[in-house]
Amino acid sequence: MSPIITGLLLAGALSLFVITMSGRAGVLLAMKKENRLDRIPYRAVQLLRFGLGQQRMVDPEEFTPGLFHIFIYAAFMVLAVRTIMMFVMGFSSTALEVLTDMSHPAWDAAPPLLFLYRAYLLVKDVVAGLALAGVAYFVWTRWKVKPDRMSQSWEAYLILGFIAGLMLTEFLFGGSHMVAARAAAEQVQMGATQVPTTPAALVWWEPITSVVGLGMMPLGATAAHVVGVVSFFIHLAIILAFLNFLPLGKHFHIITGLPNVFFQRTHSTGKLPTPNLEKEEFGAATVKDLTWKNGLDLYSCTECGRCQTHCPTYITGKPLTHKAVNQDLKHWLWDNERWVEEGYGPNGIKEPLPEIIGSALKAETVWACTSCGWCEQACPVFIENVPRLIDMRRYQVQVKAEFPPEIQRVFEGMERQGNPWGIGQDQRDEWASDLALPTWGDDGGPYEYLFFVGCAGSYDDKQKKVSRALVKILREAGVSFATLSKQEMCNGDSARRMGNEYLYQTLAKTNVESWNSMGVKAVITQCPHCFNTIKNEYPEFGGEYRVINHTQLINELLNEKRIKLSSVMNTTTKLTYHDPCYLGRHNGVYDAPREVLKSIPGLEVVEMQRSKREGFCCGAGGGRMWMEEHIGTRINHNRINEVALTLKHAEDPTTPFPDAADRKKPGMVGDYKEQGGAGIVAVACPFCSTMLNDAKNDTGREQIQVKDITELVADALEPQHKGGTVSPSPVVSAKPE
């Protein structure tokens, strides 16, 4: 080929790439430092599974597009080696001859190497063909299907064109050499006394290229050679154009995606980063208050829209989609690189950076999130959306004192009375006034468990029944436990997720200091938010406890035959289970609640279309329990509609379900407006209970009962001790799921 042309192309393209990347890298270096080099072996395994292995791409809800994406990804990985070969061919005629002619004498001395090279060419041919199939699928999907999650853009078609061009030029380049080899053999044959073997039209190591070469035979050797040379340089030009286009759009993830997977957090998604308030880390005011990993997240967003599929805010018309947030922040960074790096604003003079809210995002966007975690569960490159938004809330609350007005009373209640309702602390144990419960540290002991009742379990009238039901079960099983009675304080979850980090840390430190002084080692919770906070976030303050959710404990007691259940219903009752986000998605507890429900005689458990990892939020997480919904439809209405449809379908299978695979309008299952569908929706969270009860009342679905799993178990409990209220027996261990 031509070393001069190849060299000029390479030098020019790499120079432009370095200039662009220096700006992108400079922004990351200007952002807040963060250590992401802990647990290297774990990170390496995750990189193999989810980065190189693309495991999340073939999640059930997006299996087909994920599979075709893997075809294209595999082609890029395999053809990277081929691309290097082609650049070498551009500089060296010897390399060109050897790498395109399997009969070249250079291969005679290394038959094993020739076999390996042919095997590579076979893999290259197959994955390039699959990549073309992937391109065709995505063109058809964008042009005809138009899934809701995909944004229509010229960039997508350009990139698909680049990919198709790379594969086609590879086939044409290889095919031209097959034409040349056959023409040369035929010339030799014409002047030979003995007839040599003419190269086969099809070879096993390049099956698709062989077919292309066969199709090029009518062109003749000269024309085929021209096509090959042109294809060669077009291939190199596309590669270099592609390289320079990557940092300018959503396909930047081809460069940053694998590092982003490697640098993912190594703990539960329910755990938020803890700022150092003594160092005045009061949240994210400007983009420089975000960490470099936050910036890498923005660079890595593929705009695939998977984060929208079950996002409660997007489905119900709120001003928040995490894809849009990522794009707004990313483009603001790119448009203001010098401002971020050097402090020079758009007018070329030094000036402070503007606040994120007001310049890149709107306040209502930041406050809309329920922190359900679907976006992070669905993201193939592990973008951390929720912590970033919470950090912006922290600044709004702690520095600017600008937040939804209805949460002011919640903060005051937690500060003054230790609960978000602001009800007197002296009333905290009234729910158990007739139960003679032991108080930790005051009488009896030692106890295996601290039963952390929680604010809802102590003050909410409906949840008080759940607390009493749980006590009944614990006593029947002989579990050793005590409460804190009037000394119990809120765990602080809502304060933290609404941005009041100071209040949260005050409550957390107070609780940990108190519990540690009492010798608490294990904690039972009936609220997933309490469970998540105490289990995942209290250890940072020295609170190392064995924390178990009530559904896990009940499941253990059933398995150990500590309790026995009998039917309390005359006929089989239809029941569906609503997964709490902070129990399921954030902590992976899916099986225990279902096993408990299936052990209750007289219940037929049916799954909702959106369940387990795809479960739909009730709308209360992220502090939204205490805020009004002013925009779009209510999230809890969408969920109760799905409950009704699920129960109706279980009762009458002719009632149609929307196609779960139809991505043009996600959340259709929550659009069900018909009445009917009697039965029970089981919950395992006081927030979910409140939201679904409100929703059934709002929508007139009185035929649906909202019941905590604990209530159902307590109703079905077959007493082995009179009244089920015996005194606690010695320690009984229960292992968390």
Side-chain angles (χ1 to χ4, degrees), residues 462-471 526 708 710-711:
K462 191 173 191 318
Q463 201 63 25
K464 289 177 187 178
K465 298 175 183 177
V466 178
S467 302
R468 294 177 67 88
L470 185 54
V471 168
Q526 60 174 318
D708 192 280
T710 309
E711 296 176 282

Side-chain angles (χ1 to χ4, degrees), residues 450 452 491 504 511-512 515 523-525 527-539 543-547:
L450 167 64
F452 185 78
N491 70 87
Y504 161 72
N511 284 333
V512 168
W515 299 357
V523 181
I524 301 169
T525 68
C527 171
H529 298 266
C530 302
F531 172 73
N532 177 76
T533 296
I534 299 169
K535 178 177 182 285
N536 295 319
E537 297 181 329
Y538 272 26
E544 299 279 354
Y545 314 112
R546 181 162 50 90
V547 187

Side-chain angles (χ1 to χ4, degrees), residues 284-439:
T286 72
V287 291
K288 289 187 72 170
D289 295 317
L290 300 175
T291 70
W292 65 265
K293 176 56 171 64
N294 295 148
L296 192 64
D297 281 341
L298 301 178
Y299 290 179
S300 302
C301 181
T302 70
E303 296 184 46
C304 66
R306 290 181 176 219
C307 55
Q308 295 178 181
T309 307
H310 298 308
C311 173
T313 58
Y314 176 74
I315 296 298
T316 59
K318 308 295 188 294
L320 168 66
T321 71
H322 292 286
K323 181 175 77 171
V325 167
N326 288 334
Q327 299 319 301
D328 289 344
L329 287 171
K330 178 176 70 177
H331 288 294
W332 195 95
L333 283 175
W334 289 358
D335 292 342
N336 297 279
E337 283 182 347
R338 194 176 179 218
W339 204 352
V340 177
E341 289 182 65
E342 303 171 19
Y344 290 97
N347 297 320
I349 59 174
K350 281 213 168 191
E351 56 183 307
L353 284 169
E355 293 178 1
I356 297 172
I357 297 178
S359 62
L361 301 177
K362 296 179 180 179
E364 54 264 33
T365 300
V366 173
W367 286 104
C369 183
T370 67
S371 72
C372 75
W374 166 252
C375 55
E376 298 182 11
Q377 181 76 54
C379 182
V381 291
F382 289 80
I383 293 173
E384 297 161 21
N385 297 296
V386 175
R388 187 174 58 211
L389 292 177
I390 298 300
D391 220 25
M392 296 177 200
R393 291 182 181 184
R394 286 170 177 161
Y395 176 75
Q396 293 298 108
V397 170
Q398 297 178 127
V399 177
K400 299 201 71 177
E402 294 179 2
F403 46 82
E406 59 266 29
I407 64 177
Q408 178 64 44
R409 60 177 180 80
V410 179
F411 290 153
E412 291 175 354
M414 296 171 78
E415 289 169 357
R416 298 172 184 175
Q417 299 294 344
N419 67 85
W421 284 276
I423 301 173
Q425 186 70 14
D426 59 336
Q427 300 177 45
R428 191 161 195 116
D429 61 351
E430 286 186 358
W431 66 273
S433 58
D434 60 334
L435 296 182
L437 294 181
T439 301

Side-chain angles (χ1 to χ4, degrees), residues 409-630:
R409 60 177 180 80
V410 179
F411 290 153
E412 291 175 354
M414 296 171 78
E415 289 169 357
R416 298 172 184 175
Q417 299 294 344
N419 67 85
W421 284 276
I423 301 173
Q425 186 70 14
D426 59 336
Q427 300 177 45
R428 191 161 195 116
D429 61 351
E430 286 186 358
W431 66 273
S433 58
D434 60 334
L435 296 182
L437 294 181
T439 301
W440 195 290
D442 287 354
D443 49 335
Y447 301 99
E448 173 70 1
Y449 289 105
L450 167 64
F451 173 25
F452 185 78
V453 183
C455 300
S458 300
Y459 294 108
D460 180 80
D461 287 340
K462 191 173 191 318
Q463 201 63 25
K464 289 177 187 178
K465 298 175 183 177
V466 178
S467 302
R468 294 177 67 88
L470 185 54
V471 168
K472 178 182 177 182
I473 295 167
L474 296 177
R475 283 183 161 174
E476 180 60 38
V479 176
S480 173
F481 74 96
T483 72
L484 293 173
S485 189
K486 290 181 172 63
Q487 304 308 310
E488 185 179 282
M489 300 279 287
C490 181
N491 70 87
D493 161 81
S494 291
R496 166 166 261 203
R497 280 152 183 82
M498 290 190 293
N500 197 334
E501 182 69 17
Y502 176 81
L503 176 55
Y504 161 72
Q505 290 197 22
T506 299
L507 290 167
K509 290 174 181 177
T510 300
N511 284 333
V512 168
E513 183 179 353
S514 174
W515 299 357
N516 287 352
S517 68
M518 295 177 182
V520 172
K521 301 297 182 184
V523 181
I524 301 169
T525 68
Q526 60 174 318
C527 171
H529 298 266
C530 302
F531 172 73
N532 177 76
T533 296
I534 299 169
K535 178 177 182 285
N536 295 319
E537 297 181 329
Y538 272 26
E540 289 203 63
F541 303 99
E544 299 279 354
Y545 314 112
R546 181 162 50 90
V547 187
I548 186 168
N549 175 262
H550 65 312
T551 63
Q552 295 173 299
L553 180 56
I554 292 171
N555 193 43
E556 284 288 332
L557 297 176
L558 285 166
N559 290 337
E560 295 172 3
K561 303 192 185 308
R562 304 291 301 183
I563 56 176
K564 184 179 179 182
L565 306 181
S566 59
S567 179
V568 294
M569 301 167 191
N570 296 325
T571 58
T572 300
T573 300
K574 309 289 186 186
L575 175 145
T576 191
Y577 172 62
H578 166 79
D579 287 280
C581 301
Y582 273 79
L583 187 61
R585 197 133 54 216
H586 286 303
N587 287 285
V589 181
Y590 296 115
D591 295 335
R594 287 171 169 80
E595 289 172 9
V596 171
L597 289 169
K598 289 175 182 177
S599 70
I600 302 175
L603 291 180
E604 179 186 341
V605 180
V606 293
E607 290 285 1
M608 284 189 267
Q609 193 177 87
R610 298 175 295 189
S611 63
K612 296 188 176 179
R613 65 177 294 278
E614 296 183 67
F616 194 70
C617 181
C618 73
R624 292 296 317 180
M625 170 76 177
W626 315 105
M627 302 180 224
E628 292 296 329
E629 285 190 61
H630 300 291

